[in-house]
Amino acid sequence: MQMNNRRPLVAGNWKMNGNLALIKQIEETFSKTDISHVDVVVCPPFPYLGGFSDNDFALGGQNISHFESGAHTGETAVSMLKEMNCQYVILGHSERRADNYESNELVANKVGLALKHKLTPLFCVGEPEDIRDNGQFFDFIAEQLNAVIKEVGIAAFNDIVIAYEPIWAIGTGKTASPEQAQEVHAFIRQHLAKQDSNIANQCVILYGGSVKGSNAVELFSQPDVDGGLIGGASLNPEDFLSICLAAKR
Ligand code: PGA
């Protein structure tokens, strides 16, 4: 195996959950523990971004508009996330692809916009259950990756974090096995390596889908799994902390 200096990362995706009280709880829980071996990111809903103090963890948004500014009611501009101290933004999450009809091309567009504004995309890929069952999942994921490679070029993957989130594992309690996660993570790395093996080797790839304190160590110990994108369990500060502590050292 090639040497790498990938730093583990764990991101919490609150989705449309949480409140001001949860900000306090999470800040209190994390203030007592050393998490310096891992990059931790919290992605709350937009209204709560201003409620965080200076913490050991970074902030991320859950989406950006594909427009830079202007008359787009209900949208949030990438520059606004920057101004609210975000360093990351989740893009291409399967819930947005499904609920908001976000295509591979639109997601690629947003990745380009985030990079232009020096925000790190947490770029999500992952197959639905029928594609898993019919065995076409590598092709499906390759297409999602290719749209972004085509838009921003392979070199941009120096500044992109990929999250593999099989849709059948999101919020279902049905976690991918460590072997299933590793298989796809290795595939993603090989796919990038076809264009640039150094970038493939350095790219941080997270697993997401029903990660909990109880399964994080096993998932994160896989050689190509560099951390996690955590939904439900990120709403429980103790559980989220134990997942962060499970990251490789
Ligand atoms: P989950 O969600 O951890 O609740 O399965 C993961 C995600 O959607 O990012």
Side-chain angles (χ1 to χ4, degrees), residues 128-178:
E129 191 151 35
D130 57 325
I131 301 282
R132 165 61 59 171
D133 291 345
N134 74 19
Q136 303 290 304
F137 51 98
F138 288 145
D139 288 346
F140 187 90
I141 293 163
E143 222 172 283
Q144 292 179 321
L145 292 169
N146 289 345
V148 173
I149 297 171
K150 184 171 164 217
E151 176 74 20
V152 299
I154 190 71
F157 278 75
N158 264 326
D159 303 308
I160 294 174
V161 172
I162 297 173
Y164 169 56
E165 298 206 309
I167 299 172
W168 46 271
I170 295 179
T172 57
K174 206 164 132 187
T175 321
S177 69

Coordinates of all heavy atoms in Angstrom, one line a residue, residues 128-178:
P128 N -28.8 3.7 -4.8 CA -30.0 3.2 -4.1 C -30.0 1.7 -4.1 O -29.2 1.0 -4.7 CB -31.1 3.7 -5.1 CG -30.5 3.9 -6.4 CD -29.0 4.2 -6.1
E129 N -31.0 1.2 -3.3 CA -31.0 -0.3 -3.0 C -31.1 -1.1 -4.3 O -30.5 -2.2 -4.4 CB -32.2 -0.6 -2.1 CG -32.1 -2.0 -1.5 CD -32.8 -2.1 -0.2 OE1 -33.8 -1.4 0.1 OE2 -32.2 -2.9 0.7
D130 N -32.0 -0.7 -5.3 CA -32.1 -1.5 -6.5 C -30.8 -1.6 -7.3 O -30.5 -2.7 -7.9 CB -33.3 -1.0 -7.4 CG -33.1 0.4 -7.8 OD1 -32.6 1.2 -7.0 OD2 -33.6 0.7 -8.9
I131 N -30.1 -0.6 -7.3 CA -28.8 -0.6 -8.0 C -27.8 -1.5 -7.2 O -27.0 -2.2 -7.8 CB -28.2 0.8 -8.2 CG1 -29.2 1.7 -8.9 CG2 -26.9 0.8 -8.9 CD1 -29.3 1.5 -10.4
R132 N -27.8 -1.5 -5.9 CA -27.0 -2.4 -5.1 C -27.4 -3.8 -5.5 O -26.5 -4.7 -5.7 CB -27.2 -2.0 -3.6 CG -26.7 -3.0 -2.6 CD -25.2 -3.4 -2.6 NE -24.3 -2.3 -2.4 CZ -23.0 -2.5 -2.2 NH1 -22.5 -3.7 -2.1 NH2 -22.2 -1.5 -2.0
D133 N -28.7 -4.1 -5.5 CA -29.1 -5.4 -5.7 C -28.8 -6.0 -7.1 O -28.6 -7.1 -7.3 CB -30.7 -5.6 -5.5 CG -31.0 -5.4 -4.0 OD1 -30.0 -5.5 -3.2 OD2 -32.2 -5.1 -3.7
N134 N -28.9 -5.1 -8.2 CA -28.6 -5.6 -9.5 C -27.1 -5.5 -9.9 O -26.7 -5.8 -11.0 CB -29.5 -4.9 -10.6 CG -29.1 -3.4 -10.8 OD1 -28.0 -3.0 -10.5 ND2 -30.0 -2.7 -11.4
G135 N -26.3 -5.1 -8.9 CA -24.9 -5.2 -9.0 C -24.2 -4.1 -9.9 O -23.0 -4.1 -10.2
Q136 N -25.0 -3.0 -10.2 CA -24.5 -1.9 -11.1 C -23.9 -0.8 -10.3 O -23.8 0.3 -10.9 CB -25.6 -1.4 -12.0 CG -26.3 -2.4 -12.8 CD -25.5 -2.9 -14.0 OE1 -24.9 -2.2 -14.8 NE2 -25.2 -4.2 -14.0
F137 N -23.6 -1.0 -9.0 CA -23.3 0.2 -8.2 C -22.0 0.9 -8.5 O -21.8 2.1 -8.4 CB -23.4 -0.1 -6.7 CG -22.7 -1.3 -6.2 CD1 -21.4 -1.2 -5.6 CD2 -23.2 -2.6 -6.4 CE1 -20.7 -2.4 -5.2 CE2 -22.6 -3.7 -5.9 CZ -21.3 -3.6 -5.3
F138 N -21.0 0.1 -9.0 CA -19.7 0.8 -9.4 C -20.0 1.7 -10.6 O -19.5 2.9 -10.5 CB -18.7 -0.3 -9.8 CG -18.1 -1.1 -8.6 CD1 -17.7 -2.4 -8.8 CD2 -17.9 -0.5 -7.4 CE1 -17.2 -3.1 -7.8 CE2 -17.4 -1.2 -6.3 CZ -17.1 -2.6 -6.5
D139 N -20.7 1.3 -11.6 CA -21.0 2.2 -12.7 C -21.8 3.4 -12.2 O -21.5 4.5 -12.7 CB -21.9 1.5 -13.7 CG -21.1 0.4 -14.5 OD1 -19.9 0.4 -14.4 OD2 -21.8 -0.4 -15.1
F140 N -22.7 3.2 -11.3 CA -23.6 4.3 -10.8 C -22.7 5.4 -10.2 O -22.8 6.6 -10.4 CB -24.6 3.7 -9.9 CG -25.6 4.7 -9.4 CD1 -26.8 4.9 -10.1 CD2 -25.4 5.5 -8.2 CE1 -27.8 5.8 -9.7 CE2 -26.4 6.4 -7.8 CZ -27.6 6.5 -8.5
I141 N -21.8 4.9 -9.3 CA -20.9 5.8 -8.5 C -19.9 6.5 -9.5 O -19.6 7.7 -9.3 CB -20.3 5.0 -7.4 CG1 -21.3 4.6 -6.4 CG2 -19.2 5.9 -6.7 CD1 -20.9 3.5 -5.4
A142 N -19.4 5.7 -10.4 CA -18.4 6.3 -11.4 C -19.1 7.4 -12.1 O -18.4 8.5 -12.4 CB -18.0 5.2 -12.4
E143 N -20.4 7.3 -12.5 CA -21.0 8.4 -13.2 C -21.1 9.6 -12.3 O -21.0 10.8 -12.8 CB -22.4 7.9 -13.6 CG -22.8 8.3 -15.0 CD -24.1 7.6 -15.4 OE1 -24.1 6.4 -15.7 OE2 -25.2 8.3 -15.3
Q144 N -21.4 9.4 -11.0 CA -21.5 10.6 -10.1 C -20.2 11.3 -10.0 O -20.1 12.5 -10.0 CB -22.0 10.1 -8.7 CG -23.5 9.6 -8.8 CD -23.9 9.1 -7.4 OE1 -23.2 8.5 -6.6 NE2 -25.2 9.4 -7.0
L145 N -19.1 10.5 -9.9 CA -17.8 11.0 -9.8 C -17.4 11.7 -11.1 O -16.8 12.8 -11.1 CB -16.7 9.9 -9.5 CG -16.8 9.2 -8.2 CD1 -15.9 8.0 -8.2 CD2 -16.4 10.2 -7.0
N146 N -17.7 11.1 -12.2 CA -17.3 11.6 -13.5 C -17.8 13.0 -13.8 O -17.2 13.9 -14.4 CB -17.7 10.7 -14.7 CG -16.8 9.5 -14.7 OD1 -15.8 9.4 -14.0 ND2 -17.2 8.4 -15.4
A147 N -19.1 13.3 -13.4 CA -19.7 14.6 -13.6 C -18.9 15.7 -12.9 O -18.7 16.7 -13.4 CB -21.1 14.6 -13.0
V148 N -18.4 15.4 -11.7 CA -17.6 16.4 -11.0 C -16.2 16.5 -11.5 O -15.7 17.6 -11.7 CB -17.6 16.0 -9.4 CG1 -16.6 17.0 -8.7 CG2 -19.0 16.2 -8.9
I149 N -15.6 15.3 -11.9 CA -14.3 15.4 -12.5 C -14.3 16.2 -13.8 O -13.4 17.1 -14.1 CB -13.7 14.0 -12.8 CG1 -13.6 13.2 -11.5 CG2 -12.4 14.0 -13.6 CD1 -13.3 11.7 -11.8
K150 N -15.4 16.0 -14.6 CA -15.5 16.8 -15.8 C -15.6 18.3 -15.6 O -15.1 19.1 -16.3 CB -16.8 16.3 -16.6 CG -17.0 16.9 -17.9 CD -18.2 16.1 -18.6 CE -18.6 17.0 -19.8 NZ -20.0 16.9 -20.0
E151 N -16.3 18.6 -14.5 CA -16.6 20.1 -14.2 C -15.3 20.7 -13.6 O -15.0 21.9 -14.0 CB -17.8 20.2 -13.3 CG -18.1 21.6 -12.8 CD -18.7 22.5 -13.8 OE1 -19.3 21.9 -14.8 OE2 -18.7 23.7 -13.7
V152 N -14.7 20.1 -12.7 CA -13.6 20.8 -11.9 C -12.2 20.3 -12.2 O -11.2 20.9 -11.8 CB -13.9 20.8 -10.4 CG1 -15.2 21.5 -10.1 CG2 -13.9 19.4 -9.8
G153 N -12.1 19.1 -12.9 CA -10.8 18.5 -13.1 C -10.3 17.7 -12.0 O -10.7 17.9 -10.8
I154 N -9.4 16.8 -12.3 CA -9.0 15.8 -11.2 C -8.2 16.5 -10.1 O -8.2 16.2 -9.0 CB -8.2 14.6 -11.8 CG1 -7.9 13.5 -10.8 CG2 -6.9 15.1 -12.5 CD1 -9.1 12.8 -10.4
A155 N -7.4 17.6 -10.5 CA -6.5 18.2 -9.5 C -7.3 18.8 -8.4 O -6.9 18.9 -7.3 CB -5.7 19.3 -10.2
A156 N -8.6 19.2 -8.7 CA -9.4 19.8 -7.7 C -9.7 18.9 -6.5 O -10.1 19.3 -5.4 CB -10.7 20.3 -8.3
F157 N -9.6 17.6 -6.8 CA -9.9 16.6 -5.7 C -8.8 16.6 -4.6 O -9.0 15.9 -3.6 CB -10.0 15.2 -6.3 CG -11.4 14.9 -6.9 CD1 -11.7 15.5 -8.1 CD2 -12.3 14.2 -6.2 CE1 -13.0 15.3 -8.7 CE2 -13.6 14.0 -6.8 CZ -13.9 14.6 -8.0
N158 N -7.8 17.5 -4.7 CA -6.9 17.8 -3.6 C -7.7 18.5 -2.5 O -7.4 18.5 -1.3 CB -5.8 18.8 -4.1 CG -4.6 18.0 -4.4 OD1 -4.3 17.0 -3.8 ND2 -3.8 18.6 -5.4
D159 N -8.8 19.2 -2.9 CA -9.5 20.1 -2.0 C -11.0 19.6 -1.8 O -11.9 20.4 -1.5 CB -9.5 21.5 -2.5 CG -8.1 22.0 -2.7 OD1 -7.3 21.9 -1.7 OD2 -7.8 22.5 -3.8
I160 N -11.3 18.3 -2.2 CA -12.6 17.8 -2.1 C -12.6 16.6 -1.2 O -11.7 15.8 -1.3 CB -13.1 17.4 -3.5 CG1 -13.3 18.6 -4.4 CG2 -14.5 16.6 -3.4 CD1 -13.7 18.2 -5.9
V161 N -13.5 16.5 -0.3 CA -13.7 15.3 0.5 C -14.9 14.5 -0.1 O -15.9 15.2 -0.4 CB -14.0 15.7 2.0 CG1 -14.4 14.4 2.8 CG2 -12.8 16.4 2.6
I162 N -14.7 13.3 -0.3 CA -15.8 12.4 -0.9 C -16.5 11.7 0.3 O -15.8 11.2 1.2 CB -15.2 11.5 -1.9 CG1 -14.6 12.2 -3.1 CG2 -16.3 10.5 -2.4 CD1 -13.9 11.3 -4.1
A163 N -17.8 11.6 0.2 CA -18.5 10.8 1.2 C -19.3 9.7 0.4 O -20.1 10.0 -0.4 CB -19.5 11.6 2.0
Y164 N -19.0 8.4 0.7 CA -19.7 7.3 0.1 C -20.9 7.0 1.1 O -20.7 6.6 2.2 CB -18.9 6.1 -0.1 CG -19.7 4.9 -0.4 CD1 -20.6 4.9 -1.5 CD2 -19.7 3.7 0.3 CE1 -21.4 3.8 -1.8 CE2 -20.5 2.6 0.1 CZ -21.4 2.7 -1.0 OH -22.2 1.6 -1.3
E165 N -22.1 7.3 0.6 CA -23.3 7.0 1.4 C -24.3 6.2 0.6 O -25.1 6.7 -0.2 CB -24.0 8.3 1.8 CG -23.1 9.2 2.6 CD -23.9 10.2 3.5 OE1 -24.8 10.8 2.9 OE2 -23.7 10.2 4.7
P166 N -24.3 4.8 0.8 CA -25.3 4.0 0.1 C -26.6 4.4 0.7 O -26.9 4.4 1.9 CB -24.9 2.6 0.6 CG -24.0 2.7 1.7 CD -23.4 4.1 1.7
I167 N -27.5 4.7 -0.3 CA -28.9 5.3 0.2 C -29.6 4.3 1.0 O -30.3 4.7 2.0 CB -29.7 5.7 -1.1 CG1 -28.9 6.7 -1.9 CG2 -31.1 6.2 -0.7 CD1 -29.5 7.1 -3.2
W168 N -29.4 3.0 0.8 CA -30.2 2.0 1.5 C -29.7 1.9 3.0 O -30.3 1.2 3.8 CB -30.0 0.6 0.9 CG -28.6 0.3 0.4 CD1 -28.1 0.6 -0.8 CD2 -27.6 -0.4 1.1 NE1 -26.8 0.1 -0.9 CE2 -26.5 -0.5 0.3 CE3 -27.6 -1.0 2.4 CZ2 -25.3 -1.1 0.7 CZ3 -26.4 -1.6 2.8 CH2 -25.3 -1.6 2.0
A169 N -28.6 2.6 3.3 CA -28.0 2.5 4.6 C -28.3 3.8 5.4 O -28.0 3.9 6.6 CB -26.5 2.3 4.6
I170 N -28.9 4.8 4.7 CA -29.1 6.1 5.4 C -30.3 6.1 6.2 O -31.4 5.9 5.7 CB -29.1 7.3 4.3 CG1 -27.8 7.4 3.6 CG2 -29.5 8.6 5.0 CD1 -27.7 8.5 2.6
G171 N -30.1 6.3 7.5 CA -31.3 6.5 8.4 C -32.1 5.2 8.6 O -33.2 5.2 9.1
T172 N -31.5 4.1 8.1 CA -32.3 2.8 8.1 C -31.8 1.9 9.2 O -32.5 0.9 9.5 CB -32.1 2.1 6.8 OG1 -30.7 1.8 6.6 CG2 -32.7 2.9 5.6
G173 N -30.7 2.2 9.8 CA -30.1 1.3 10.8 C -29.4 0.1 10.1 O -28.8 -0.8 10.7
K174 N -29.5 0.1 8.7 CA -28.9 -1.0 8.0 C -27.5 -0.6 7.4 O -27.4 -0.1 6.3 CB -29.8 -1.3 6.8 CG -29.8 -2.6 6.2 CD -31.1 -2.8 5.4 CE -30.8 -3.4 4.0 NZ -32.0 -3.4 3.1
T175 N -26.5 -0.6 8.3 CA -25.2 -0.1 7.9 C -24.6 -1.1 6.9 O -24.7 -2.3 6.9 CB -24.2 -0.2 9.1 OG1 -25.0 0.2 10.3 CG2 -23.0 0.7 9.0
A176 N -23.8 -0.5 5.9 CA -23.0 -1.3 5.1 C -22.0 -2.1 5.9 O -21.5 -1.5 7.0 CB -22.2 -0.5 4.0
S177 N -21.6 -3.3 5.6 CA -20.6 -4.0 6.4 C -19.3 -3.3 6.1 O -19.1 -2.6 5.1 CB -20.5 -5.4 5.9 OG -20.0 -5.5 4.6
P178 N -18.3 -3.4 7.0 CA -17.0 -2.8 6.8 C -16.4 -3.3 5.4 O -15.8 -2.5 4.7 CB -16.2 -3.4 8.0 CG -17.2 -3.6 9.0 CD -18.4 -4.1 8.3

